[in-house]
Amino acid sequence: MQVRATATRRFLLETAARLFDERGYAGTSISDISALSGRTSGAIYFHFASKEKLALAVVEEHFATWPALVARVRAADGPALEKLVALSFTVARSFRDDVVVRAGSRLWMERKAIDEQLPTPFVGWIEAVTALLGEAREQGTLADSVVPEKAALGIVYAFFGLHTVSDALEGRDHIEDRLHDLWLLLLAALQADPDPEALLGRVHAGPALLSR
Amino acid sequence: MQVRATATRRFLLETAARLFDERGYAGTSISDISALSGRTSGAIYFHFASKEKLALAVVEEHFATWPALVARVRAADGPALEKLVALSFTVARSFRDDVVVRAGSRLWMERKAIDEQLPTPFVGWIEAVTALLGEAREQGTLADSVVPEKAALGIVYAFFGLHTVSDALEGRDHIEDRLHDLWLLLLAALQADPDPEALLGRVHAGPALLSR
């Protein structure tokens, strides 16, 4: 029974995520989720006390996606700047392909319409990028002028701005090409001995050890 | 009468913007706007046919803020990279201080909850930044590796991401310091002969010829 309840909860969460992603928070009702899932409203309320709690669960599920991935990247051997770039591509693909990630991101944008305290994003990313830049400094691959804490903020701004702009203008269809171009710019500032194309080539050719 | 009607419309638009900025689209009703403005709902509906149309008017007013400013910057004499940096500070201050700009930005984020087609942002900014980078190339101040069209996208991503992150983490209180730090990173990639601190010093010391 427990296993089945967990599977049902997950199924309802993903169904709700599809609707939140397509229609936003205000445009999605428990009735809509009931109709799409084929479950009664009562069954939905059994798992989630309210639409607010369901939205909160989607956002929390999105946030829960990352810590294990980040820990794996930080623990891996290899040049830190390559790990950072590879991580960004893994995350970008999740934003494009994972409906819970997409819905969680959308709901967070609409957070003022949701009567629940949502977790704060960005902080964990800023820490992770700062740490990877610090590792690059130890490896001697970071330009002298770069201050890891400050550059990490710039990288996080650019990465999240890319998702907003790409989503608005082209439905994220070209997100990997756009991210490649963004790194051409950022790596020219970050690398001690700039050769962004070569670094990107190594990342694209590398093993998918960062897949989730 | 026409002058007074225009002033009333503007007053209602700014009152609505204050509420949309604080509470979001779903959290704001015509009754709230009536209560805060001291005008009847009927008076509001005389100027704006619906809450959707009022939100659309706020977004359009936000978008209408920029073309004249951008045209003035592009027409001005001077080093193009300095004009670009100065423009970014002027826009950032507007995002922090102008409630119509802030509300328009918030409503655009919540666009899936609004049953009106809103204008598409970013395109005008991408064009303006591309043009300024092209001008920098002609002036010999742009690094050879920089492709204006691609770098312009990266700059626009970073600039809009900065607003999202700064708003979420610190209520935009330190937006000018954060923007300064972002340019330290980006200018290291953009300048043919990188000296970001010197360029930023000239911009901060320069005349406020870009004020709106």
Side-chain angles (χ1 to χ4, degrees):
Chain A
M1 273 308 279
Q2 184 55 42
V3 171
R4 189 158 149 193
T6 303
T8 301
R9 187 181 187 283
R10 176 75 203 180
F11 170 70
L12 291 172
L13 190 85
E14 289 185 1
T15 305
R18 280 173 58 190
L19 290 166
F20 285 138
D21 177 49
E22 280 170 25
R23 306 179 187 178
Y25 180 73
T28 301
S29 68
I30 294 289
S31 302
D32 296 333
I33 299 165
S34 169
L36 187 62
S37 65
R39 306 301 172 101
T40 64
S41 296
I44 298 168
Y45 284 119
F46 175 78
H47 288 278
F48 304 97
S50 63
K51 191 173 101 168
E52 285 81 4
K53 295 287 185 196
L54 182 45
L56 177 62
V58 171
V59 174
E60 287 177 341
E61 182 77 13
H62 164 195
F63 276 60
T65 307
W66 312 120
L69 173 67
V70 169
R72 204 154 69 243
V73 170
R74 290 190 49 189
D77 289 330
L81 290 178
E82 292 182 31
K83 293 197 291 180
L84 173 60
V85 171
L87 175 63
S88 76
F89 278 95
T90 302
V91 177
R93 283 189 285 268
S94 290
F95 270 83
R96 185 191 60 199
D97 301 333
D98 184 328
V99 75
V100 173
V101 168
R102 250 190 353 258
S105 160
R106 164 75 48 196
L107 289 168
W108 185 83
M109 294 275 231
E110 297 177 3
R111 64 197 175 281
K112 292 200 181 181
I114 304 173
D115 194 16
E116 275 289 336
Q117 185 68 41
L118 302 185
T120 301
F122 308 124
V123 177
W125 290 119
I126 294 165
E127 286 172 5
V129 176
T130 301
L132 286 164
L133 294 179
E135 196 182 324
R137 163 113 328 132
E138 287 169 19
Q139 294 172 342
T141 57
L142 196 68
D144 286 344
S145 64
V146 174
V147 179
E149 291 76 10
K150 294 184 176 186
L153 280 170
I155 293 167
V156 169
Y157 301 154
F159 185 80
F160 283 94
L162 175 151
H163 288 282
T164 306
V165 175
S166 173
D167 186 34
L169 299 187
E170 50 195 20
R172 304 182 195 238
D173 285 347
H174 305 288
I175 193 94
E176 292 188 75
D177 292 341
R178 301 298 179 222
L179 184 57
H180 180 101
D181 289 345
L182 175 61
W183 281 118
L184 289 181
L185 179 69
L186 295 177
L187 287 168
L190 295 170
Q191 289 183 286
D193 190 8
D195 191 349
E197 288 281 14
L199 190 154
L200 284 159
R202 290 194 297 275
V203 169
H204 292 320
L209 91 174
L210 297 180
S211 59
R212 287 166 52 202
Chain B
M1 275 309 277
Q2 182 55 43
V3 171
R4 188 158 148 194
T6 303
T8 301
R9 186 181 187 282
R10 177 74 204 180
F11 170 69
L12 291 172
L13 190 85
E14 288 184 2
T15 306
R18 279 174 57 191
L19 290 166
F20 285 139
D21 177 48
E22 279 170 27
R23 306 179 186 177
Y25 180 74
T28 301
S29 68
I30 294 289
S31 302
D32 297 332
I33 300 165
S34 170
L36 186 62
S37 65
R39 306 302 172 99
T40 64
S41 296
I44 299 168
Y45 284 120
F46 174 78
H47 288 278
F48 304 96
S50 62
K51 191 173 100 168
E52 286 81 5
K53 294 286 185 198
L54 183 45
L56 176 62
V58 171
V59 175
E60 287 176 342
E61 182 77 13
H62 164 195
F63 276 60
T65 308
W66 312 120
L69 173 67
V70 169
R72 203 153 71 244
V73 170
R74 291 191 48 190
D77 288 330
L81 290 179
E82 292 182 32
K83 293 197 291 178
L84 172 62
V85 171
L87 174 63
S88 76
F89 278 95
T90 301
V91 177
R93 284 190 285 269
S94 290
F95 270 83
R96 185 191 60 198
D97 302 334
D98 184 329
V99 73
V100 173
V101 168
R102 251 191 352 258
S105 161
R106 166 73 50 193
L107 289 168
W108 185 82
M109 295 275 232
E110 297 178 2
R111 63 197 177 281
K112 293 200 179 179
I114 304 173
D115 194 17
E116 274 289 334
Q117 183 70 41
L118 302 186
T120 301
F122 307 122
V123 178
W125 290 119
I126 294 165
E127 286 172 5
V129 176
T130 301
L132 285 164
L133 294 179
E135 195 183 324
R137 163 111 334 129
E138 287 169 19
Q139 293 172 343
T141 57
L142 195 69
D144 286 343
S145 63
V146 174
V147 180
E149 291 76 9
K150 294 184 176 186
L153 280 170
I155 293 167
V156 169
Y157 300 155
F159 185 79
F160 282 95
L162 176 151
H163 288 283
T164 306
V165 175
S166 174
D167 186 33
L169 298 188
E170 50 194 22
R172 303 182 196 241
D173 286 346
H174 305 287
I175 194 93
E176 292 186 76
D177 291 340
R178 302 298 180 223
L179 184 56
H180 180 100
D181 289 345
L182 175 61
W183 280 118
L184 290 181
L185 179 69
L186 295 176
L187 287 168
L190 294 170
Q191 288 182 288
D193 191 7
D195 192 347
E197 289 280 13
L199 189 152
L200 284 159
R202 289 195 297 277
V203 169
H204 292 319
L209 94 176
L210 298 181
S211 59
R212 288 165 53 202

